[in-house]
Amino acid sequence: ALTEVAAAEDLSGVNTPPEDMGDTKDIAIAAEQLLEDEQLRKEIEEIFDKAGDKLRLEVAAMKKEQEAFTKAAEDQGLEYVESEKQRLSEAEESVSRLIQTVAARTNEVQEAMEELERAKDEAGDGSGGGIEKTALDLKQGGLIKQASLVGGLLFGSRAFTETILV
């Protein structure tokens, strides 16, 4: 079959297959003749072996690349989880500090209210000069008593104003 193709090329100068070249029987015979040639078969096997080796190397490289990508994604996920844990613990600490601050301020306001009640009770004794006596007591009591009174008055006036507005 190969000699026919070579003869057809020589005669026409163009690579045109003969009319009976496309038959399945001729193709099978040509393939069988090619496989019978020992050197050609070895060359074909070498080509397929090289291609197989290249394919194995490419598959190994793809596996390594995929493992690296998976590792990077896993690390990034762990970093995200760690950052979220840290953010959550910081938020919990902030809330804890806020609660402590509110508790401390509540105690201070309570003390100021008690001080105000005592001052009010002392002013209402009727011992003459109630406001003047209270003012003198506050002046002698120092800055803490004065600040407590002012704070109590402010909070009291605010509560009174809110009660009126509601």
Side-chain angles (χ1 to χ4, degrees):
L2 289 176
T3 55
E4 291 175 1
V5 171
E9 283 181 3
D10 289 340
L11 293 176
S12 66
V14 179
N15 189 1
T16 55
E19 294 175 16
D20 61 345
M21 182 68 178
D23 293 338
T24 317
K25 187 177 179 181
D26 291 337
I27 293 173
I29 292 171
E32 188 177 317
Q33 288 174 351
L34 289 174
L35 291 177
E36 287 177 2
D37 186 6
E38 188 68 27
Q39 183 181 2
L40 184 59
R41 194 177 76 218
K42 284 183 181 182
E43 289 177 5
I44 291 173
E45 286 177 1
E46 286 178 13
I47 291 172
F48 277 103
D49 288 342
K50 287 179 183 178
D53 291 341
K54 284 183 180 180
L55 184 61
R56 278 187 222 99
L57 290 174
E58 287 296 320
V59 168
M62 286 171 52
K63 282 183 181 179
K64 286 181 182 178
E65 198 174 293
Q66 188 175 13
E67 288 173 0
F69 179 74
T70 303
K71 176 81 171 146
E74 181 180 320
D75 291 344
Q76 188 178 19
L78 289 175
E79 288 176 7
Y80 176 75
V81 169
E82 290 298 321
S83 70
E84 287 298 311
K85 283 181 182 179
Q86 182 180 3
R87 191 174 67 83
L88 183 60
S89 71
E90 289 173 358
E92 287 174 349
E93 290 174 7
S94 176
V95 167
S96 175
R97 285 191 307 265
L98 183 62
I99 288 172
Q100 291 173 354
T101 303
V102 167
R105 298 291 182 247
T106 302
N107 289 337
E108 291 174 6
V109 168
Q110 186 66 30
E111 290 173 4
M113 294 291 286
E114 290 171 2
E115 185 70 29
L116 181 62
E117 286 294 321
R118 278 182 279 194
K120 191 164 80 171
D121 289 342
E122 289 177 7
D125 285 345
S127 58
I131 292 177
E132 294 163 356
K133 185 179 177 190
T134 304
L136 287 174
D137 286 345
L138 283 174
K139 189 174 184 181
Q140 292 172 353
L143 185 62
I144 294 175
K145 282 188 175 182
Q146 292 172 7
S148 297
L149 177 64
V150 170
L153 289 173
L154 288 174
F155 282 116
S157 67
R158 182 175 178 180
F160 180 73
T161 304
E162 286 180 2
T163 305
I164 291 173
L165 292 176
V166 173

